[in-house]
Amino acid sequence: MLSLEHVMLKSNLDKNIARIHSIESFGSVDGPGIRFVAFLKGCHMRCKFCHNPDTWSTEAGTLMESDEILNAIKRNQTFYTSGGITATGGEPLMQIEFLIELFTKAKETGIHTCLDTSGILFNRENPKKLAQFDQLLSVTDLILLDIKHINPDEHKKLTSHSNTNILDFARYLDEKQIPVWIRHVVVPEITYKKNFLIKLGEFLSTLHNVKAIEVLPYHRMGCVKYENLGFEYALKDAPQLTKAEAQRAEEILLESIKAHTGCEFISDFGR
């Protein structure tokens, strides 16, 4: 398997150009307000519940310059006054040089910037990569951080990678005081287990920059994409999480945070 660094390097084009899978002009679930959402190509993880396997490859996609995206936002800027731009994927950090370029220009024009990431490519031991992360974070208003599984062994089974970099990225964002929304997909028999939810709450209680927590119930809406791509869908027999189970998962998670902090956590989904 190729290293994360090799894949990250391979996926980068000129810093002003990105491989874009698709664009959503008026997104409402990827950050605060109405947002222009850019889905970037490329992801090194293979999450079993991923509903966008068509974004994994670093090949194909539409080549777009940062100015093209910004001009598209400006044409409808009145709709984004309480929102902004969100870069997601795939794993957008695989095209970090482009993100720096895009978010820098966005901030210069007063556009709120949001990054939806797993943080898998974070490595504070690599000075060059850390400098890039710091540059990106300096122009990022909000991080949507996807924590797939709190247990390192189970995380590897679920995604094909350890969660070490991801949890360290969460700690680094806390050190830098970058606002974060935590996203956690709850899958029956995988992440929908009391001990794992309690452990996740314990970890989140150590962070001081978490503004909101989203418990996302597992669904199978991406199955057809796997069929179209000729991929096997690993969770085809897994039941979808019910609303009652999702509510209970959130309760366990929040109870754990309160047990460790002494305070109730209340999500703030504003800017």
Side-chain angles (χ1 to χ4, degrees):
M1 181 177 289
L2 297 176
S3 70
L4 293 176
E5 289 78 9
H6 180 87
V7 174
M8 191 173 178
L9 178 65
K10 185 175 183 293
S11 67
N12 275 330
L13 302 164
D14 182 282
K15 69 177 183 179
N16 193 44
I17 302 173
R19 291 191 186 276
I20 303 295
H21 171 268
S22 56
I23 294 292
E24 185 176 357
S25 298
F26 303 104
S28 60
V29 296
D30 294 301
I34 303 299
R35 309 192 69 81
F36 185 97
V37 184
F39 293 81
L40 277 67
K41 289 278 289 180
C43 186
H44 198 52
M45 292 210 293
R46 293 294 181 263
C47 303
K48 291 181 179 179
F49 55 71
C50 180
H51 59 277
N52 288 323
D54 45 341
T55 66
W56 290 349
S57 172
T58 57
E59 305 299 326
T62 301
L63 298 182
M64 293 187 71
E65 295 185 353
S66 55
D67 286 342
E68 288 182 76
I69 292 177
L70 291 169
N71 287 337
I73 295 173
K74 290 173 184 176
R75 285 195 292 269
N76 296 298
Q77 193 150 3
T78 54
F79 292 97
Y80 306 124
T81 53
S82 62
I85 182 172
T86 297
T88 183
E91 175 48 70
L93 288 174
M94 289 181 68
Q95 301 187 61
I96 192 170
E97 291 187 351
F98 174 79
L99 288 180
I100 293 169
E101 175 87 3
L102 176 64
F103 278 17
T104 298
K105 290 180 177 180
K107 292 303 296 176
E108 288 172 354
T109 56
I111 298 171
H112 182 274
T113 56
C114 177
L115 175 65
D116 180 13
T117 177
S118 72
I120 186 65
L121 291 169
F122 178 73
N123 182 0
R124 72 168 80 211
E125 302 304 320
N126 184 322
K128 181 180 178 181
K129 295 301 180 186
L130 187 61
Q132 284 186 318
F133 270 85
D134 285 340
Q135 191 175 357
L136 177 60
L137 294 179
S138 71
V139 288
T140 302
D141 292 306
L142 177 67
I143 300 284
L144 307 183
L145 182 61
D146 303 309
I147 297 182
K148 314 294 185 181
H149 207 303
I150 192 61
N151 180 280
D153 294 330
E154 295 300 321
H155 189 281
K156 195 163 187 176
K157 292 178 187 176
L158 183 62
T159 71
S160 78
H161 286 280
S162 165
N163 63 5
T164 301
N165 290 0
I166 295 168
L167 300 185
D168 195 34
F169 185 51
R171 297 185 191 98
Y172 191 73
L173 294 173
D174 186 37
E175 294 168 17
K176 293 291 184 178
Q177 299 181 357
I178 305 295
V180 168
W181 290 8
I182 297 295
R183 289 178 151 183
H184 183 61
V185 177
V186 181
V187 186
E189 300 304 316
I190 297 179
T191 52
Y192 185 51
K193 292 187 177 181
K194 187 173 183 179
N195 59 320
F196 292 145
L197 291 165
I198 289 174
K199 197 68 177 178
L200 177 59
E202 179 181 346
F203 174 74
L204 295 181
S205 72
T206 67
L207 308 177
H208 306 90
N209 60 333
V210 177
K211 305 302 179 184
I213 298 173
E214 291 184 277
V215 171
L216 306 175
Y218 165 71
H219 60 73
R220 292 195 297 266
M221 289 189 288
C223 286
V224 66
K225 293 184 180 180
Y226 286 79
E227 294 174 5
N228 292 339
L229 291 167
F231 297 164
E232 181 181 357
Y233 187 59
L235 299 182
K236 60 186 177 184
D237 297 323
Q240 299 188 105
L241 199 76
T242 67
K243 289 184 178 180
E245 289 171 330
Q247 183 177 352
R248 181 54 186 151
E250 183 173 356
E251 289 172 355
I252 295 170
L253 182 56
L254 296 181
E255 287 167 2
S256 176
I257 293 175
K258 184 178 180 180
H260 289 90
T261 64
C263 302
E264 289 190 14
F265 181 87
I266 301 175
S267 290
D268 178 6
F269 289 102
R271 290 173 58 171

